[in-house]
Amino acid sequence: MPSSKICIIGAGAAGLVTAKHAIKDGHEVEIFEQTESVGGTWVYSEKTGCHSSMYKIMKTNLPKEAMLFQDEPFREDLPSFMSHEDVLEYLDDYSKHFPIQFNTTVTDVRRDGEKWKVTTSTNSNQPVSHFYDVVFVCNGHFFEPLNPYENSEFEGEMIHSHDYRRAEHFEGKTVVIVGAGPSGIDITLQVALTAFQVTLISKKAVHPVLPKTVRQIASHVKSVDRHGVITDEGERVYADVIIVCTGYVFKFPFLDSSLIQLKHNDLMVSPLYQHLCHVDYPDSLFFIGLPLGTITFPLFEVQAKYALSLVSGTGKLPSDTLKIQNFEAERLQGLQNPAAFHILIEEQWDYMKELAEMGGFEEWSYMETIRKLYCYIMSERKKNVIGYKMVNFEMNKDETDFRVVGI
């Protein structure tokens, strides 16, 4: 198998699993990481306005039994729902001896003849250009907050969940939390312990069990004025603090818009085939980890293995190039909301099957157990958002099933 020179941008989970398989396949690999450590979004920082969106106390939304790389289990003594420190330790161990250049920012990636020209800079030196056969973009998508209300006239304190760190900061305050995704719920439960009153507003705010200090309104925030928020129905909710948990947009500051366009409020990366391969360079420019609503680590690994099968020539792209060109248009046709382009949820299992098939590698048999776990957790979360993480899972002998055990 011919060896390629591969550039990986970012040393978070997606970049690390790509590096692991690229090195195993015999490629020459260089990883550029703009911070001083591996882990990407799993690195906690007290500082706000930085790359990290991790809060001080955070348990994973998925258990260790469902968010592992193949043949790399988490430590046995850890609880199923781990802390962010545990995940960082796992990624640290996983990436020992990887060729990572820290404190190095990729400033530009462009096609130059038959190669990719990648320009990097460090604090001390002039920009340096490197040439590669293949580029993997693994720079994450939890660092550019989406805040539809940032230009409002609100006179209190408004922060995005990206800059939330600890609940003590909101002691005795009246807090409105906008958005009830995983972060919105986590932050609501934490702030409810210190705030005077918390109002959670989201179309998804219909949880049967929440703390007494939390009121939920199943609506959408139409606007924010000087004193608080106004819902679609015209209800006004006063607040000292508004915490906006409306997610993130994609951002690739090193890619020119002639190469990559961000569409539908920067929530769709285009033009890509299978959320992964650049349509014009399907065997040399890849984006790992774009799909949302997924099991993350195992999915990143399947994407990386498929992409690397294209690099080595063992994997297949559709023989009809129109299929590659039309992937986006066909997917958009079936979506009510184009901003949900990369959200997979139930589709993720068929998506991974298809990539394994096209890549000519065996699907991980344990993936079916992960699917069962994922479905169980999603259904428990709806029933009891406070208690669903207060359990551990025990696998049966051949790891085809699990049982729930108390903590």
Side-chain angles (χ1 to χ4, degrees):
M1 186 194 300
S3 162
S4 295
K5 195 173 178 196
I6 293 179
C7 166
I8 296 172
I9 302 170
L16 297 177
V17 73
T18 302
K20 181 88 159 190
H21 286 281
I23 292 165
K24 198 167 85 182
D25 288 355
H27 298 297
E28 191 186 329
V29 174
E30 281 182 344
I31 307 159
F32 296 114
E33 168 53 48
Q34 65 179 353
T35 69
E36 59 192 16
S37 58
V38 303
T41 196
W42 295 98
V43 177
Y44 174 74
S45 169
E46 281 286 339
K47 283 194 309 209
T48 57
C50 64
H51 191 83
S52 173
S53 54
M54 200 50 60
Y55 23 99
K56 181 75 179 154
I57 300 165
M58 198 215 82
K59 276 187 168 185
T60 55
N61 293 309
L62 291 169
K64 66 175 187 181
E65 294 82 5
M67 59 179 289
L68 65 163
F69 295 129
Q70 192 167 347
D71 305 324
E72 298 278 349
F74 279 86
R75 275 193 359 239
E76 230 173 279
D77 61 317
L78 291 175
S80 287
F81 291 94
M82 310 163 285
S83 71
H84 58 77
E85 291 92 344
D86 297 327
V87 180
L88 187 57
E89 183 190 275
Y90 174 81
L91 294 174
D92 228 358
D93 289 345
Y94 185 79
S95 58
K96 288 272 184 278
H97 314 304
F98 281 12
I100 305 171
Q101 296 188 36
F102 292 107
N103 299 307
T104 304
T105 302
V106 172
T107 55
D108 189 65
V109 175
R110 63 183 62 217
R111 196 68 176 159
D112 190 323
E114 290 298 295
K115 300 276 183 191
W116 290 103
K117 180 184 178 187
V118 175
T119 307
T120 61
S121 74
T122 56
N123 293 340
S124 51
N125 299 328
Q126 291 292 93
V128 181
S129 292
H130 322 249
F131 291 87
Y132 299 95
D133 302 306
V134 178
V135 171
F136 280 89
V137 178
C138 309
N139 67 326
H141 48 68
F142 294 122
F143 65 91
E144 191 63 26
L146 169 63
N147 182 354
Y149 314 106
E150 64 187 338
N151 297 321
S152 69
E153 296 169 359
F154 184 58
E155 289 174 355
E157 181 186 3
M158 181 189 288
I159 64 164
H160 188 276
S161 58
H162 179 67
D163 289 325
Y164 170 84
R165 293 293 180 266
R166 49 180 77 219
E168 295 86 339
H169 183 71
F170 306 100
E171 192 110 23
K173 301 273 177 72
T174 300
V175 180
V176 166
I177 294 175
V178 183
S183 295
I185 293 298
D186 275 356
I187 292 170
T188 296
L189 297 178
Q190 290 186 16
V191 172
L193 300 172
T194 61
F196 171 68
Q197 165 79 49
V198 177
T199 306
L200 175 65
I201 307 177
S202 162
K203 290 265 168 66
K204 293 191 278 193
V206 287
H207 294 283
V209 188
L210 280 177
K212 286 188 175 61
T213 49
V214 178
R215 173 188 177 217
Q216 47 184 348
I217 302 175
S219 183
H220 168 259
V221 171
K222 184 175 162 183
S223 62
V224 174
D225 67 8
R226 286 162 53 197
H227 305 295
V229 306
I230 297 145
T231 68
D232 281 354
E233 293 73 30
E235 182 177 350
R236 180 182 291 276
V237 184
Y238 292 96
D240 302 317
V241 180
I242 300 172
I243 304 177
V244 181
C245 304
T246 44
Y248 295 83
V249 294
F250 294 104
K251 194 178 184 186
F252 307 99
F254 45 83
L255 293 175
D256 189 79
S257 61
S258 61
L259 199 57
I260 278 292
Q261 295 87 52
L262 297 174
K263 299 177 175 176
H264 306 296
N265 290 336
D266 296 350
L267 291 169
M268 175 184 169
V269 184
S270 173
L272 299 183
Y273 171 65
Q274 293 285 7
H275 312 273
L276 172 60
C277 316
H278 194 287
V279 161
D280 300 327
Y281 308 99
D283 57 1
S284 71
L285 180 58
F286 304 103
F287 293 73
I288 304 290
L290 297 187
L292 299 161
T294 74
I295 47 168
T296 63
F297 291 16
L299 181 128
F300 301 165
E301 186 160 27
V302 173
Q303 286 189 311
K305 284 168 78 171
Y306 174 58
L308 286 163
S309 78
L310 296 178
V311 172
S312 65
T314 56
K316 290 183 176 61
L317 284 160
S319 48
D320 180 359
T321 52
L322 273 177
K323 237 186 151 172
I324 299 174
Q325 302 286 343
N326 294 340
F327 174 80
E328 291 184 339
E330 280 175 21
R331 179 161 174 79
L332 282 168
Q333 254 180 341
L335 288 176
Q336 274 180 312
N337 175 10
F341 186 82
H342 295 297
I343 299 176
L344 295 189
I345 308 176
E346 286 309 317
E347 299 169 80
Q348 64 181 312
W349 316 108
D350 286 343
Y351 172 74
M352 288 187 282
K353 261 194 181 72
E354 191 180 349
L355 293 190
E357 219 166 88
M358 293 192 300
F361 55 90
E362 213 174 305
E363 208 195 351
W364 188 17
S365 58
Y366 180 67
M367 198 64 86
E368 177 53 27
T369 311
I370 292 179
R371 190 191 65 78
K372 286 182 196 170
L373 259 170
Y374 178 87
C375 295
Y376 173 80
I377 290 154
M378 289 303 122
S379 115
E380 285 303 301
R381 190 171 179 272
K382 281 196 182 87
K383 285 186 252 175
N384 182 1
V385 81
I386 297 179
Y388 83 103
K389 294 183 187 182
M390 294 178 185
V391 298
N392 282 317
F393 298 103
E394 208 172 74
M395 312 312 288
N396 67 0
K397 207 169 178 182
D398 60 1
E399 298 200 321
T400 53
D401 214 343
F402 63 91
R403 67 188 189 94
V404 179
V405 291
I407 289 182

